[in-house]
Amino acid sequence: MTFVDQWRTWHAEREAAVAAPGGDLTLTGTHWLVGDTQIDGIPGTWRAEGTDVRVSGAEGLLVGGVPTAEGVLRPDQRLMVGDVELKIVRRGGDLAVRTYDPHAPAVRRFAGIDAYVPDPAWVVTAEFTPADADQAVRTAHSRSDRLVDYPVVGTFTFTVDGQHAELLALYTGHEGEAHITFRDATSGQESYGAARFLFLPLPATAGPVTLDFNRVTLPPCAFSEAFICPLPPPGNVLPFAVRAGEKAVLDRPADQAAIPRG
């Protein structure tokens, strides 16, 4: 399979994933748990309890397929109310319940993900430098005044057309993964303005690694206004244009969006 064929397969899988049940387009709400909390359209009273969530009076809630009106719920459990999937998320010391509706309007509007033409020139070699064990960066988020201290996993240093670049990578909850959130000269002009993401396996040691900017993705907040997304650390704003990866979400015309997909 050629480089372009591999990218096309990846791109098609991305488009399918964001529109699938539980995908980014289906998120309809992020409900932070402050004391006893009721969630619109979802039965029960929800409360944070340590790193878990306690629910009561939740008639119709299925936990792993089992009816569960009350009890303590963990983030790794599958929670459903009818067609709506619920996910427990933790950000810093705070807990929230997210609601994913496969019939969300954003799914009906979705016409694909606009992206740059894949280009092997945007597969660059970078030097990885691991961070100190206790290094963290306070990070702002889109559509929110929330500030979260994310651990720093390391720095990727590279050169593009003679221009030096250095990107800080964070740990945002997935073991063994480095998360780079950045802006560049295309942001807000040709590509999504808040940020774009690049995920890659966390290198085991310092040394050269490959960054494939053709695999840059839009953040979840590009697909649903119910997401908040980490914004780039101060140094992760590149002065040059990264014309690679995903650019923007494409919507159907309003008259076509009313027609169910599939």
Side-chain angles (χ1 to χ4, degrees):
M1 187 179 290
T2 68
F3 173 83
V4 172
D5 288 339
Q6 290 177 335
W7 182 89
R8 286 174 176 163
T9 298
W10 170 81
H11 183 64
E13 291 172 349
R14 273 281 296 163
E15 290 184 320
V18 299
D24 291 345
L25 286 163
T26 71
L27 182 70
T28 55
T30 298
H31 309 274
W32 297 99
L33 302 183
V34 180
D36 288 339
T37 303
Q38 278 75 45
I39 300 171
D40 289 344
I42 301 298
T45 298
W46 304 72
R47 168 182 283 274
E49 188 169 283
T51 58
D52 298 321
V53 171
R54 179 172 290 278
V55 67
S56 60
E59 300 297 334
L61 173 67
L62 299 180
V63 180
V66 178
T68 306
E70 57 184 276
V72 176
L73 310 175
R74 304 186 310 272
D76 62 342
Q77 291 177 307
R78 180 172 173 79
L79 313 175
M80 299 291 297
V81 174
D83 290 339
V84 177
E85 182 176 359
L86 313 179
K87 293 182 182 179
I88 297 169
V89 296
R90 183 178 182 182
R91 295 293 180 267
D94 298 329
L95 286 166
V97 176
R98 282 181 168 158
T99 52
Y100 292 82
D101 184 348
H103 309 295
V107 177
R108 297 195 299 272
R109 292 195 304 266
F110 183 57
I113 301 173
D114 191 16
Y116 291 99
V117 175
D119 184 355
W122 280 107
V123 181
V124 304
T125 299
E127 188 72 17
F128 175 69
T129 303
D132 296 335
D134 58 351
Q135 186 177 349
V137 61
R138 179 151 292 185
T139 303
H141 289 71
S142 64
R143 304 192 184 103
S144 173
D145 58 0
R146 295 177 63 80
L147 297 172
V148 176
D149 291 329
Y150 287 110
V152 177
V153 296
T155 302
F156 294 89
T157 306
F158 56 98
T159 300
V160 172
D161 293 334
Q163 298 184 80
H164 176 80
E166 187 173 289
L167 292 173
L168 209 62
L170 308 179
Y171 170 74
T172 54
H174 300 282
E175 292 295 335
E177 181 181 77
H179 179 176
I180 299 172
T181 175
F182 71 97
R183 291 195 192 102
D184 64 276
T186 73
S187 300
Q189 305 295 322
E190 302 173 18
S191 68
Y192 186 70
R196 292 190 291 161
F197 290 174
L198 179 61
F199 296 97
L200 67 155
L202 179 62
T205 60
V209 296
T210 297
L211 301 181
D212 186 354
F213 284 94
N214 296 283
R215 302 299 177 96
V216 163
T217 63
L218 295 172
C221 53
F223 298 94
S224 169
E225 293 186 358
F227 278 110
I228 65 171
C229 291
L231 298 175
N236 281 26
V237 180
L238 300 175
F240 51 84
V242 178
R243 291 190 170 92
E246 297 179 351
K247 293 194 289 186
V249 178
L250 299 174
D251 284 343
R252 294 171 178 269
D255 57 341
Q256 295 183 25
I259 302 172
R261 291 168 58 86

